[in-house]
């Protein structure tokens, strides 16, 4: 796409009228003369000349215009604009129905625009030029002269011009109402929030009201999308196609990363985050609530002797646990990754649905699942002047002591568990995978099942590590 | 406090030097002459005249200054400033050690300040004037001329002047380090977050990093505090003394209300909110985790026939519930207020601690407590052209059906409860209080204990309402 750009600051519209510009130039202020000179004292001729060059390789799809301040109060201004527009059509061999005129308002009354009284006149342009459109300046910031917009204002103004132009080209941004019809709200939204929404291609649509904010972006999985602000103060953005699954995301308000008020909150990235669930199809039913017996997710308070403080862990008990009051159950200890905590697997991971469904289908035996914070909520950062490897071994290491000395005994005392190694498993994601290796392989008398998902491993010598367990796994695990 | 204000835009420092100003005025540009005239062509004399007036009723505590642009590049500028300062001290009978000079930088290099090269020279002022201080312009927004600050920049600049002046007066804002020593982080903070903090008088201190944000406020219980931005991009604010208890709060970024990233999140105000727990003293131990047997807080999934969807409610079971597997328990249904949900009583209300402690002290019998969402997460708003009273009766009414038809039967089926009315209670806060009246008083066969805390009641005729139960409570409740 190309833009033919001809402009003179502070000029009256007469400067572009074929039969008026010569007279006008005689009255032009001193500071304008240099600018005029650059166009050989005939900006309109330059505009046509450039447009004809453009027509050699392209098609003119529209005319953008921004002027009016120096004609403030003149009710006949639209007719003068029409004169320029009609001349352009004739000189470039264009038809009005093919080439819209898109004209913007001057600095708005809502920002004390010096020439804001011109906007009602600009609004009458479509009465004179059928295929013309007026772009609102509502809410756009201005410079202290109240004549120019400020940088943020220009950016948003440009987006509004573009939105109108794209709409006329048939690739317009949908209205909120159109969006509502062909998208669904994300399941992760806050109560009563219609946005964010998802379409069938897994694009996410964001929309929120923040009239005084200067710059707003949405950051989904590290990709930042600039949001577009409309004249009423609503911001919107559309993402690329997203992969299915749960994604943390944030809003950037003037670069300051915050939670989207429209989203539920999830602890991840070492902080509370917004989240959006991009649903799988039918194949994702395994993690959805189904008409099967439902287990419970319990928060259990206990005192940690090793840390000398109260802690709360999360325990899943299978549906039958309430009824079979004599039966004992195997236990899986399930750990989250760095920057997450004991709530992750149940809140964003829907582990209770997955277990309920697996148990109902006979794909796993009823079991208790224990989820504690691995003491890695705050991201790993080695202290200055310390050895990074040594620091890494300290990071989250308190959890090993906690688990062996406090957590397992508490669970076995509180719940009807089997307490032998054959009935105790441990698994973990990422740093939780590292912790799983560190804890289970040094406590093989306590664990017989081990799972590490994307387990974080650093500098392990596979042959020697953990008494050579990786070199001969079968022998080692069986003891 | 008063400020004596004498200023000439765009002037050189020589205009305030006794032996230079007359010569300088001869060379002054045309546009300055009107301003000079207003001071009878001697701004310095006006300054002294006004200051002497001020001294009749007050004490001069400092001299604020902002100048330098028109002397850019002059290494001897500080000596010229010293000349003005020394003359002021002499003419006003002041001592340098009593009256600091506080001078600000010009528009900073980080905003492309036209005269930014002057700032290293301004920085040498304290080498010449012992009791002088330079206020950084780092990060302050500027107008498009890169000579003036913009409005937001001036506001923050003024705060920095004030912070320095207050510090010299011994009422300075503490540094983050000083704050750390005499305050403690709020218990409601996100993992690893040192702020917000509380002092012994229950003032809250906020501090966070948002270098590109233009305006930041913190809204605690509806009172907005402007935050102060330092030259590195850290914002801080101190609140009034807060009453003890849990408070929702928000940050306003350019007026856009968001959750403080430093806070845990809590569902309230119909949205996820930041929260700050202002602790009670020893008398608040009743809601703290104590060394007593601990009950569990369970999330229970069930299918609601009346709403044809799965729901999740929160159920507290007392500590002994796990062990006394034959014993049955009374049930309290406990409802939250408008704009809250089933998580409120356990998350921000610490109900599990309160119950654990009360039960351990024998102040209440072990009981099961059921907390569901009262279907009032989104605030009440009558539909247009509808009767507000009728609308109000619809708001949250779905919960009555849910509770009687789905929730109570599910609880009685899932848990070891007593199912007679003598062992079923209901209580609620605010709208939950209204729901308690509406549900229990129309189902007296099911409930024998009723509690409404600040229960929302609208237009009730106390004599007739609910078959006159309020007119003769004893008879009615007993049936």
């Amino acid at each position: 796409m190309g833009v033919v750009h001809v402009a003179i600051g502070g000029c009256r519209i007469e400067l572009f009228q074929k039969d008026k510009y010569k007279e006008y130039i005689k009255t032009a202020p001193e500071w304008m003369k240099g600018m005029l000179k650059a166009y050989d004292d005939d900006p309109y001729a330059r505009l046509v000349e450039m447009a004809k060059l453009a027509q050699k390789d392209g098609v003119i799809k529209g005319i953008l215009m921004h002027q009016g301040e120096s004609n403030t109060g003149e009710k006949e201004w639209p007719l003068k604009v029409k004169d320029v527009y009609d001349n352009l059509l004739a000189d470039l061999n264009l038809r009005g129905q093919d080439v819209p005129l898109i004209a913007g308002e001057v600095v708005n009354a809502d920002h004390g625009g010096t020439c804001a009284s011109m906007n009602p006149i600009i609004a009458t342009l479509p009465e004179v030029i059928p295929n013309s459109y007026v772009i609102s300046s509502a809410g756009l910031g201005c410079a202290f002269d109240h004549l120019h917009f400020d940088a943020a204002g220009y950016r948003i103004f440009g987006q509004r011009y573009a939105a109108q132009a794209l709409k006329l080209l048939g690739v317009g941004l949908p209205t909120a109402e159109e969006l509502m019809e062909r998208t669904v709200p994300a399941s992760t939204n806050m109560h009563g929030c219609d946005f964010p929404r998802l379409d069938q291609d897994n694009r996410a649509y964001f929309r929120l009201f923040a009239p005084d904010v200067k710059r707003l972006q949405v950051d989904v999985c590290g990709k930042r999308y600039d949001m577009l602000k409309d004249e009423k103060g609503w911001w919107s953005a559309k993402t690329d196609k997203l992969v299915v699954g749960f994604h943390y995301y944030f809003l950037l308000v003037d670069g300051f990363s915050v939670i989207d008020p429209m989203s539920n909150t999830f602890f991840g990235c070492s902080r509370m985050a917004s989240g959006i669930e991009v649903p799988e199809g039918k194949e994702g039913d395994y993690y959805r609530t189904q008409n099967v017996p439902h287990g419970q997710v319990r928060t259990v308070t206990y005192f940690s002797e090793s840390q000398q403080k109260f802690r709360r862990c999360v325990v899943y008990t299978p549906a039958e646990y309430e009824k079979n009051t004599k039966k004992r159950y195997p236990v899986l200890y399930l750990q989250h990754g760095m920057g997450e905590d004991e709530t992750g697997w149940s809140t964003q991971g829907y582990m209770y649905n997955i277990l309920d469904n697996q148990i109902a289908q006979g794909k796993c035996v009823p079991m208790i699942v224990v989820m504690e914070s691995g003491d890695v909520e705050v991201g790993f950062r080695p202290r200055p002047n310390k050895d990074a490897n040594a620091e890494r071994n300290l990071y989250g290491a308190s959890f090993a002591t906690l688990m062996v000395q406090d957590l397992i005994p508490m669970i076995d005392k509180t719940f009807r568990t089997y307490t032998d190694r054959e009935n105790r498993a441990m698994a973990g994601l990422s740093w939780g995978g590292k912790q799983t290796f560190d804890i289970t392989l040094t406590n093989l008398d306590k664990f017989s099942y081990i799972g590490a998902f994307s387990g974080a491993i650093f500098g392990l010598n596979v042959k020697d590590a953990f008494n050579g367990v990786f070199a001969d796994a079968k022998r080692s695990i069986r003891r």
Side-chain angles (χ1 to χ4, degrees), chain A:
Chain A
M1 195 185 76
V3 176
V4 169
H5 178 237
V6 171
I8 296 283
C11 74
R12 292 173 55 85
I13 188 67
E14 283 81 353
L15 182 58
F16 286 80
Q17 289 186 276
K18 280 183 170 182
D19 56 348
K20 300 263 178 67
Y21 77 99
K22 281 184 182 161
E23 195 180 339
Y24 174 66
I25 283 176
K26 288 180 198 160
T27 71
E30 199 59 32
W31 49 260
M32 196 185 283
K33 290 185 176 165
M35 290 190 267
L36 288 168
K37 190 82 190 157
Y39 291 129
D40 298 327
D41 280 344
D42 190 351
Y44 176 84
R46 176 67 58 87
L47 186 56
V48 171
E49 178 194 344
M50 302 278 282
K52 282 184 173 169
L53 279 173
Q55 283 180 316
K56 285 188 182 172
D57 296 308
V59 178
I60 291 176
K61 303 299 283 184
I63 298 172
L64 309 178
M65 164 175 168
H66 193 262
Q67 195 272 342
E69 294 87 346
S70 297
N71 293 80
T72 294
E74 298 177 17
K75 291 214 170 15
E76 64 279 17
W77 175 85
L79 287 171
K80 296 177 182 177
V81 173
K82 180 172 163 48
D83 178 49
V84 180
Y85 176 72
D86 287 345
N87 281 335
L88 274 175
L89 294 180
D91 290 341
L92 296 172
N93 199 22
L94 301 169
R95 296 187 309 171
Q97 62 262 48
D98 300 332
V99 184
L101 176 71
I102 305 177
E105 291 185 335
V106 299
V107 172
N108 208 272
D110 62 23
H111 276 66
T114 307
C115 304
S117 65
M118 187 62 185
N119 285 333
I121 296 173
I122 296 175
T124 65
L125 205 54
E127 297 170 16
V128 177
I129 303 174
N131 194 11
S132 69
Y133 305 86
V134 175
I135 308 302
S136 170
S137 66
L140 300 183
C142 67
F144 67 72
D145 58 10
H146 296 271
L147 276 171
H148 296 83
F149 297 96
D150 62 11
Y154 279 119
R155 278 195 296 268
I156 297 169
F157 209 17
Q159 291 174 323
R160 291 184 189 170
Y161 270 91
Q164 178 63 60
L166 287 168
K167 191 174 170 188
L168 292 168
L169 291 170
V171 290
L173 300 173
T175 64
E177 291 68 27
E178 287 163 358
L179 259 185
M180 300 288 266
E181 278 172 30
R182 58 180 183 77
T183 56
V184 293
S187 62
T188 31
N189 288 1
M190 188 41 51
H191 301 289
C193 288
D194 287 329
F195 282 82
R197 303 178 74 85
L198 291 157
D199 69 15
Q200 287 185 326
D201 295 326
N202 292 337
R203 288 190 184 85
Y205 297 79
F206 296 87
R207 178 174 155 82
L208 45 86
F209 186 66
D212 294 328
V213 164
K214 306 294 177 292
R215 188 174 190 208
L216 199 55
Q217 297 167 294
V218 57
D219 179 332
V220 185
C221 309
K223 175 154 186 180
R224 294 180 179 188
Y225 301 87
D226 281 315
M227 299 190 76
L228 169 66
K229 187 187 191 180
D230 77 7
E231 62 276 16
K232 295 199 178 70
W234 287 91
W235 295 79
S236 54
K238 179 175 86 168
T239 68
D240 301 335
K241 293 181 186 182
L242 300 174
V243 295
V244 294
F246 174 89
H247 307 291
Y248 297 115
Y249 77 94
F250 299 95
L251 296 181
L252 293 157
V253 190
D254 276 337
F256 180 48
S257 175
V258 297
I259 296 166
D260 181 358
M262 313 278 272
S263 168
N264 216 319
T265 61
F266 307 88
F267 187 72
C269 318
S270 296
R271 55 180 287 194
M272 277 293 176
S274 340
I276 184 165
E277 172 75 25
V278 181
E280 296 180 33
K282 187 78 184 157
E283 73 279 12
D285 282 352
Y286 71 93
Y287 70 79
R288 300 196 178 103
T289 307
Q290 306 289 354
N291 187 16
V292 298
H294 298 294
Q296 297 177 356
V297 177
R298 311 181 180 194
T299 304
V300 177
T301 304
Y302 69 105
F303 187 76
S304 159
E305 287 292 338
S306 70
Q307 302 191 353
Q308 286 295 304
K309 66 177 182 190
F310 289 104
R311 293 180 60 115
R312 299 184 81 199
C313 67
V314 177
V315 179
Y316 166 87
T317 52
E320 62 168 56
Y321 189 88
E322 294 301 309
K323 299 299 170 194
N324 297 350
T325 55
K326 297 285 178 205
K327 186 174 169 183
R328 293 189 170 271
Y329 293 85
V331 184
L332 165 64
Y333 290 82
L334 181 60
Q335 287 307 117
H336 55 83
M338 179 163 78
E340 299 180 324
D341 69 9
E342 74 277 11
T343 65
W345 280 112
S346 57
T347 305
Q348 47 264 55
Y350 307 117
M351 61 73 58
Y352 54 93
N353 280 338
I354 297 171
L355 265 285
D356 287 349
N357 293 334
Q358 295 289 95
I359 292 169
Q361 292 172 31
K363 290 184 179 169
C364 78
V365 298
M367 67 178 79
I368 292 169
V369 182
V370 178
M371 294 149 284
E372 237 292 21
S373 168
D375 291 347
V376 291
E377 301 98 338
V378 179
F380 171 64
R381 211 180 304 165
R383 289 169 293 181
N385 307 317
K386 297 273 182 179
D387 176 65
N389 282 324
E391 291 286 285
R392 200 179 281 118
N393 285 332
L394 289 177
Y395 179 67
S398 57
F399 180 67
T401 311
L402 175 93
M403 182 162 166
V404 173
Q405 292 185 13
D406 301 326
L407 182 61
I408 293 176
M410 183 280 287
I411 292 295
D412 286 340
K413 194 177 145 201
T414 309
F415 293 91
R416 299 191 311 276
T417 62
Y418 286 114
T419 60
D420 59 317
R421 75 184 288 273
E422 294 304 322
N423 284 289
R424 192 178 295 116
M426 183 175 182
L429 168 72
S430 192
W431 206 275
K434 178 185 190 301
Q435 292 177 315
T436 298
F437 284 133
D438 288 348
I439 293 171
T440 58
L441 295 177
T442 55
N443 289 281
L444 283 171
D445 59 319
K446 296 188 176 60
F447 300 91
S448 62
Y449 297 89
I450 300 172
F453 323 131
S454 316
I457 290 181
F458 300 90
L460 264 197
N461 183 328
V462 173
K463 230 173 177 176
D464 303 338
F466 300 114
N467 289 323
V469 67
F470 292 118
D472 186 359
K474 199 166 184 181
R475 182 188 56 80
S476 300
I477 297 285
R478 291 281 167 202
R479 281 192 306 181

